[in-house]
Amino acid sequence: LLVTHAWGGFASPFACIRGEENPASRNAFIVSFKTEPYSKAPGVVVPDYSPVGDMVCSYLSVLFGKRFDCHGLLEGSGFFHTPDLNLYNVICNHRLSFNSHKSRRCVAIPLRLENINALRPLLDGGVGDEKLVSIIRTACKFYHQALRSAEHDPEVAYLNLITAGEIMSSCFEFSDAEVLDSETISILDNIRFHMEDGEKIAKHLRGRMLSIKKRFVSSLLSLLASDFFESAECSHEYCKFKSDVIEANIKAAYDLRSRYVHTGVAFGNWVRTSSQGEDVQFGRPCVHDKSYARVLEMAPTFHGLERLIRYCLLRLIEQKGLGDFSNLPVPIGSDT
């Protein structure tokens, strides 16, 4: 797999501003790879490798914490194609952490293309667990889509991040003690041992209690380490995640998603992108519904949720042997 620069025409009047950090700046890259030859015979389906571009863009987005757009195939299976460069010519907010020319503070992977080697096991697909690779690939895809829609549709971007977290949670199994409180465990035991068909009833109730939200929260919490809280991208202490309330933050993020999906209550203006990169709100938003105000107060902003999901994705990739980040300046998941 080759990932390399694609240089624009230096005689162009726009060439000089593309490489500088500004709303019109862009870096272009080419991804190329070798494929097995196919038989040219009647009835043989010509392979379509166009999905590879989006897949690699998703991995690069998670790795560097930057937005990557796929413009389509240039050539595949002997056929030449015209790329769609409309997005290449759209301006963006270069002050946002996922658009800037600077490495992210959280998991500070230097912006050098050769660092894609850290994802070699994932790219090679030789780990032997296709289900696991599929889970990671799909979670990366939703993270990638979140970055692409963040500036013009923050609500959809937020939901994409929640979906990425839900997909990651399928990699985890939790005991009752890890996701249920002691009183609930005691009640289930009483049902199991003292009621007719107690085992069946307790199993049913347990399955309902171990909801998607509980798995979502528990999975993300299990992937966090102290370095996550020490590498916030905002400068104000009151807008950073705190380890003692992070569980409430993650629960509120899922509650925000549920309210939007089930009742249509808009929240985009409260979580939209900001050049400050705050993790959480500063104070309680002024809305008529007091319960909704509490959810908004605790829920991460887009930047906070994006930082959390990317961190968890990279940790999961490393834990499952699909990436090697040992050569990073600060290893992911370090506790100090």
Side-chain angles (χ1 to χ4, degrees):
L1 183 76
L2 173 67
V3 183
T4 188
H5 287 271
W7 302 108
F10 292 105
S12 167
F14 297 104
C16 61
I17 66 171
R18 287 296 195 185
E20 300 174 0
E21 193 174 57
N22 62 74
S25 62
R26 289 290 187 277
N27 292 287
F29 310 102
I30 293 289
V31 177
S32 60
F33 50 94
K34 294 181 178 180
T35 63
E36 294 294 327
Y38 64 93
S39 177
K40 296 181 180 180
V44 173
V45 178
V46 178
D48 177 18
Y49 296 102
S50 56
V52 174
D54 277 315
M55 182 183 71
V56 174
C57 282
S58 298
Y59 293 158
L60 289 171
S61 287
V62 173
L63 181 65
F64 294 117
K66 301 293 179 181
R67 172 178 167 174
F68 285 80
D69 294 314
C70 178
H71 305 290
L73 278 175
L74 292 175
E75 184 273 330
S77 300
F79 296 94
F80 293 91
H81 304 264
T82 302
D84 181 359
L85 297 179
N86 286 326
L87 288 173
Y88 189 75
N89 296 311
V90 175
I91 63 172
C92 66
N93 185 351
H94 62 288
R95 294 184 177 89
L96 299 178
S97 58
F98 52 85
N99 287 335
S100 75
H101 291 199
K102 302 177 184 67
S103 298
R104 298 292 296 268
R105 293 183 187 177
C106 188
V107 191
I109 298 178
L111 303 182
R112 300 179 62 86
L113 289 176
E114 60 264 30
N115 286 328
I116 195 175
N117 279 317
L119 299 179
R120 181 179 290 275
L122 186 60
L123 290 163
D124 289 345
V127 296
D129 189 342
E130 184 56 37
K131 181 180 178 181
L132 175 62
V133 172
S134 179
I135 290 171
I136 298 296
R137 183 189 302 130
T138 306
C140 290
K141 175 183 177 181
F142 278 99
Y143 172 85
H144 173 228
Q145 290 179 347
L147 295 193
R148 294 185 61 190
S149 57
E151 292 182 77
H152 64 271
D153 199 337
E155 286 157 342
V156 168
Y158 204 86
L159 264 59
N160 281 331
L161 292 175
I162 296 291
T163 303
E166 288 179 331
I167 294 169
M168 281 191 282
S169 70
S170 64
C171 293
F172 295 86
E173 291 292 336
F174 297 101
S175 66
D176 290 359
E178 291 176 297
V179 292
L180 300 177
D181 58 77
S182 58
E183 183 179 1
T184 302
I185 293 174
S186 177
I187 291 172
L188 287 175
D189 286 340
N190 282 332
I191 293 173
R192 185 176 290 112
F193 298 119
H194 299 104
M195 286 186 64
E196 185 178 353
D197 292 329
E199 181 66 36
K200 181 179 179 180
I201 297 171
K203 183 178 179 180
H204 173 77
L205 292 175
R206 178 183 179 275
R208 297 296 297 269
M209 292 173 183
L210 297 180
S211 63
I212 295 175
K213 177 182 175 181
K214 288 181 180 291
R215 293 177 61 88
F216 173 84
V217 174
S218 299
S219 300
L220 297 184
L221 285 176
S222 70
L223 291 167
L224 296 180
S226 63
D227 63 324
F228 172 76
F229 301 98
E230 297 163 1
S231 57
E233 299 186 355
C234 55
S235 57
H236 303 295
E237 285 298 322
Y238 49 76
C239 289
K240 296 179 181 179
F241 283 129
K242 302 293 190 301
S243 58
D244 57 337
V245 293
I246 188 64
E247 182 174 357
N249 296 141
I250 298 174
K251 287 180 178 178
Y254 200 87
D255 290 340
L256 205 56
R257 169 260 179 207
S258 298
R259 280 177 176 262
Y260 183 70
V261 171
H262 299 301
T263 66
V265 177
F267 63 93
N269 285 336
W270 297 109
V271 302
R272 61 186 175 187
T273 55
S274 162
S275 57
Q276 301 300 316
E278 303 95 334
D279 288 334
V280 293
Q281 301 283 347
F282 174 49
R284 179 173 294 182
C286 296
V287 295
H288 294 298
D289 188 333
K290 292 183 179 180
S291 65
Y292 184 43
R294 287 193 293 270
V295 172
L296 287 171
E297 180 184 14
M298 293 303 300
T301 64
F302 173 81
H303 290 288
L305 187 60
E306 178 270 327
R307 186 168 79 86
L308 186 147
I309 293 296
R310 173 177 175 254
Y311 180 94
C312 291
L313 262 172
L314 289 172
R315 281 215 70 191
L316 183 62
I317 287 170
E318 187 172 46
Q319 287 182 3
K320 298 299 184 180
L322 296 176
D324 180 9
F325 307 114
S326 58
N327 293 324
L328 291 179
V330 179
I332 306 173
S334 59
D335 287 298
T336 57

